[in-house]
Every structure is written in structure tokens, then in C-alpha cells.
Amino acid sequence: MSSLTTFKKTLLTLSACALAFSQSALAHDMVPGAKQSQPIVIKGATLHTVTNGVLTNSDLLMVDGKISAIGQNITIPQNSQIIDGTNKHVYPGLISTVSQLGLREIEAVKATVDIREVGDDNPHLLAEAAYNPDSEIIPTIRSNGITHVQVTPAGHLFGGQSSVINLDAWNIEDGLVKSTVGVHLFWPSQPPSWVSEKRRPKAMKRYHQKLTRLNDLVEQSKRYYTAYQADSSIPQDVRWHAMLGLWQGEKTLYVHAEDINEIEQALRFNQQHGFKMVIVGGSDAWMAAQELAQQNVSVIYTHAFGLPQRGDEDIDQAFKTPHLLKQAGVTTVIGYESAWDSRSLAFAAGMAAKYGLGKAAALEAITLTPAKVLGVSDKLGSLDVGKSASVIISAGDVLDYQTHHVEKMFIDGRVVDLNNRHRQLYDKYQQKGQK
């Protein structure tokens, strides 16, 4: 064996060991909760049901992973575990949409980032396949009340498909709530204003090539759909087969678009094809609110903490956009297009509540509305009898960063360990200050 071959094998072995070490070092050690074994009653709490308003001094019974009863005079099974809910607030678990949680760990370490694949035509790729349920970030996200996420790929043009996953599971099979909820399309962006006049023609040419490429991919998909309708035994193309649900109205097309030009182009595109479409990002969605409402296109707005996009915009434009969209009749979800930063989801909703949306609508925008958009509202999003016992107990208003304090969490009735690396470090340095 040559010295070069030996060197290559050694290098591969070292790389594999380094990758394995990095993955184990980044894995949290919180054990997923055991299946609910006895009825659990949260007694005398303030219940934020989302669907039936706020119920004070009320009880909530969880049996076999589902909400079994709600009210002030419910029948409590004899072997129930009783949780004192006095002065506590109970909410449905929060849902983080368009999240890269479990796909992105440390931005600067390439081996821990698996959010995209090369190429423009990847509608068949599943983000869930790369999801890491042992991500060190997950416990920090849970501690702020998030029980479920829409794990979402990134990419160019068609980036892949997202899935809904709960955040307390040994593996993806245990955590998967709904697979392939929709295909994600990343709309081409025009060259920004800072591109020099010298380079602008070339940049515009690439931009128009992207639009042409997009139309070509959609036409190929449509031809495959037409052929498949006529003869389902045709040779399967995994790319276009993954898009059949779009043409059949069974899947959602999530279009990531920010600028008003992109949003308007996407709306014209959808008038032509008739997909069930959702705009993701939507910095300028407030400018197209009427058109979005008319076409019944929902928005997952991800800039509730954003800055003005232009010099003549109101300084609080990003904060009040959810209210403007809802006022126009647009179904609006407040989301976070990130991993670790999505822990601030509740506070983003609280900011929107302050700027016109109101607390009830803001809470709905991170619970029931995303559940509806993702097609899981029969299980998640509100405190209703028969739905999943995925609930959180907070010492104060979950939308208020000053009083927000999630003390307990249940996912499908399982008690979730809320310990995390942030809390461990806080406890550590609290002790140092006492010396």
C-alpha cells in the first residue's frame, strides 16, 4: 500500500472520528418524557383556550395524552396527579413555523449545518431526513414554550419539503406529527440597489434566467402531473412526483418572498397555476394585503422584530405589519426563519400584540393559526377536549418577556424536562456570585 493511500485512509478515519465527536458533543442529555401513565389535572388555573376565550379558576384534565375535560366542575379520576394552577397561566404549546431547528447547530461549523442541497430542482427532499432530535438547541427552545416546529429546508428555487415535529422525542419516528406538509419555493430576488451600474446588467440577466428556470421547472412538473393522471404506471420522476400534491390541492406551496415585487410576481404566478399558497417572510406583505386577502393567500410573517426596509417607512412598520395583514383579512402566522433565535417567538407575538394585533390574536398567530396552515389543527393549537395534551404552564403572561416563565410543559401528556444548557450556565454563575 502506498504512503499516499495510507495518508488518505488516515485522513478519512480522522474526519469520521471528528464528525462523530462533534455530533456527540452537541447532543443534549435530556431524556424524553415517558408515556402518560395516569390522569393529570391542572387545577384552578387561568386557561387561555384560544378557541373559547380565557377561562379563569378552571381545571384541565389530561388522560392518555389527550385533553379529556375542561371546566370548573369536572369529574376528577381518583388516581389523578393534581397540579396546583393557582395564579398560573395555561396555554396550548406554541408552534414555530419555517424553523431550521435540528438542521442548523453551529453556523461556523459546516458539519453541523444541513439545511440545503445543491441545485434548483429539489422538491422531493425531506427536511425531516436531516433532523437531529438531539440538538443542543432544542431544550433551550422548549423552555420558552415551543412544543412543535415546522422543520424547513433552505435552498434555491425548489428547496424541498417541510414536516411538523414535536420537540420531545428519541428519534424522528417518535417526533413526527405530519410529514411533507408542503413544498418550499425560494422566489428569485432582483439585484439590490447597491449593485453597481457596471454589474447590474449581468446581475439582471442572472435574475431573469432564474425566473425562466422556475417557469420551466413548473411546466415540467405540470406535464408530469397530466401524464400521471392519464397513466399512473409511467416511469416515476421523484422530483415531479413530489409535486403531485400541489396540483391536486393536497399540499401547500410555501413561497419565500420578501420584496413587494417578489410577492406580486408570486401572486400572478399563482393566479396562473392555482396552488394552495403561503407567503413566507413577507417583509412587504403589508403593501399587498388586499391582493393577498382576495386570493386567500396566507402569510407566515417572520419579521416581527424587524427594522424599516426603506428610509421613508415608519420606524415601527415591522411591528404593526401583522395587525395590518389581519385587518385586511389575511390569515397571518407569526414565525421565525431560524433555529436558536426562534426561542423569542412568544415575544415577537407580544410585540405584534402591542402594535395593534391584540393579545388574543397574537396568541392565535403562534398556536391555532399555524396549526391550521400546517394542517394539524385537529390535534394542536388550542385547549379543546379531544386534542393533544400539548400544553404549557407559565407563571405569567407567556407573551410578556418580563413575566413569562414556563414552569411545566406536556407534549401528548408526557412531562417534558425543561432543563437546558442556558439554565445550567445561569445556575453555575449564580453560585460564583455568592462566593
Side-chain angles (χ1 to χ4, degrees):
M1 183 182 294
S2 69
S3 58
L4 179 60
T5 301
T6 302
F7 173 75
K8 286 182 177 179
K9 287 192 173 183
T10 303
L11 184 61
L12 287 172
T13 302
L14 290 173
S15 298
C17 290
L19 178 58
F21 174 77
S22 68
Q23 289 175 333
S24 62
L26 295 172
H28 70 76
D29 55 4
M30 312 312 161
V31 178
K35 185 177 179 180
Q36 185 180 0
S37 59
Q38 67 178 123
I40 300 172
V41 179
I42 305 171
K43 195 166 181 60
T46 299
L47 307 182
H48 299 261
T49 67
V50 181
T51 50
N52 296 301
V54 179
L55 306 179
T56 58
N57 192 28
S58 295
D59 306 335
L60 184 144
L61 172 63
M62 298 179 281
V63 178
D64 295 331
K66 295 186 181 296
I67 298 174
S68 180
I70 294 175
Q72 293 184 333
N73 299 301
I74 66 174
T75 301
I76 299 176
Q78 288 185 349
N79 62 332
S80 297
Q81 175 190 350
I82 307 296
I83 298 174
D84 184 6
T86 305
N87 298 322
K88 306 296 183 184
H89 296 260
V90 179
Y91 300 86
L94 310 184
I95 301 173
S96 179
T97 48
V98 292
S99 173
Q100 293 170 355
L101 186 64
L103 305 180
R104 182 199 300 268
E105 196 78 13
I106 301 174
E107 193 70 37
V109 181
K110 189 176 181 181
T112 70
V113 179
D114 194 3
I115 60 174
R116 73 179 72 216
E117 188 55 86
V118 297
D120 298 330
D121 52 347
N122 297 309
H124 57 294
L125 298 182
L126 303 180
E128 67 189 54
Y131 176 73
N132 173 24
D134 290 324
S135 168
E136 190 71 69
I137 302 173
I138 289 176
T140 69
I141 302 302
R142 290 192 310 219
S143 66
N144 273 14
I146 298 171
T147 60
H148 294 77
V149 296
Q150 176 195 14
V151 177
T152 303
H156 306 284
L157 296 185
F158 290 105
Q161 301 186 60
S162 58
S163 300
V164 181
I165 297 174
N166 81 57
L167 295 185
D168 185 57
W170 288 101
N171 49 50
I172 185 61
E173 288 77 15
D174 292 343
L176 192 61
V177 176
K178 185 177 180 180
S179 181
T180 63
V181 298
V183 177
H184 290 259
L185 168 59
F186 296 83
W187 199 268
S189 299
Q190 288 193 38
S193 58
W194 48 261
V195 174
S196 67
E197 289 299 319
K198 181 180 179 180
R199 296 184 177 181
R200 181 163 291 276
K202 190 173 182 179
M204 287 298 295
K205 181 179 179 181
R206 286 197 298 267
Y207 164 67
H208 287 297
Q209 287 174 340
K210 279 284 187 183
L211 290 176
T212 301
R213 172 71 170 158
L214 170 59
N215 288 322
D216 180 52
L217 293 176
V218 173
E219 284 304 314
Q220 290 183 56
S221 169
K222 188 175 183 179
R223 288 196 293 270
Y224 180 86
Y225 165 67
T226 302
Y228 186 82
Q229 279 188 310
D231 180 8
S232 60
S233 66
I234 63 172
Q236 187 177 119
D237 187 311
V238 293
R239 299 168 301 167
W240 314 138
H241 203 80
M243 293 179 67
L244 288 178
L246 293 178
W247 298 105
Q248 295 164 345
E250 298 170 356
K251 286 183 183 178
T252 301
L253 180 66
Y254 293 90
V255 178
H256 296 245
E258 300 288 357
D259 187 80
I260 183 60
N261 291 328
E262 299 169 17
I263 295 171
E264 289 180 338
Q265 285 177 344
L267 289 173
R268 289 194 295 271
F269 165 86
N270 208 47
Q271 282 182 319
Q272 179 182 355
H273 299 295
F275 297 133
K276 183 167 66 173
M277 190 172 80
V278 173
I279 294 292
V280 176
S283 292
D284 288 347
W286 60 279
M287 296 183 185
Q290 297 299 327
E291 293 87 344
L292 289 164
Q294 288 170 5
Q295 293 191 35
N296 196 30
V297 173
S298 303
V299 173
I300 298 178
Y301 181 68
T302 62
H303 302 284
F305 281 142
L307 297 173
Q309 298 297 302
R310 302 168 185 83
D312 59 350
E313 279 186 6
D314 292 346
I315 195 169
D316 58 357
Q317 183 59 61
F319 310 150
K320 64 186 181 183
T321 289
H323 169 59
L324 296 176
L325 291 173
K326 186 171 179 62
Q327 197 174 43
V330 180
T331 299
T332 306
V333 173
I334 295 175
Y336 251 98
E337 231 173 336
S338 72
W340 64 270
D341 198 31
S342 59
R343 70 187 187 277
S344 297
L345 177 66
F347 310 139
M351 181 69 78
K354 181 69 174 177
Y355 280 83
L357 190 59
K359 282 189 176 181
L363 178 61
E364 188 173 348
I366 56 175
T367 53
L368 186 58
T369 305
K372 289 179 178 177
V373 169
L374 297 173
V376 292
S377 59
D378 59 327
K379 304 173 184 175
L380 305 172
S382 62
L383 302 181
D384 284 306
V385 172
K387 285 194 174 184
S388 167
S390 296
V391 304
I392 57 175
I393 303 176
S394 176
D397 184 350
V398 78
L399 303 184
D400 181 2
Y401 71 92
Q402 290 183 310
T403 62
H404 166 114
H405 181 204
V406 176
E407 296 180 339
K408 292 184 183 298
M409 173 182 286
F410 302 87
I411 295 180
D412 297 330
R414 303 189 309 274
V415 180
V416 177
D417 186 353
L418 291 179
N419 194 9
N420 60 79
R421 184 61 60 85
H422 287 180
R423 185 168 295 178
Q424 292 166 1
L425 290 172
Y426 175 81
D427 291 341
K428 173 183 176 179
Y429 288 102
Q430 282 290 100
Q431 296 177 42
K432 179 181 179 182
Q434 294 171 359
K435 291 183 179 180

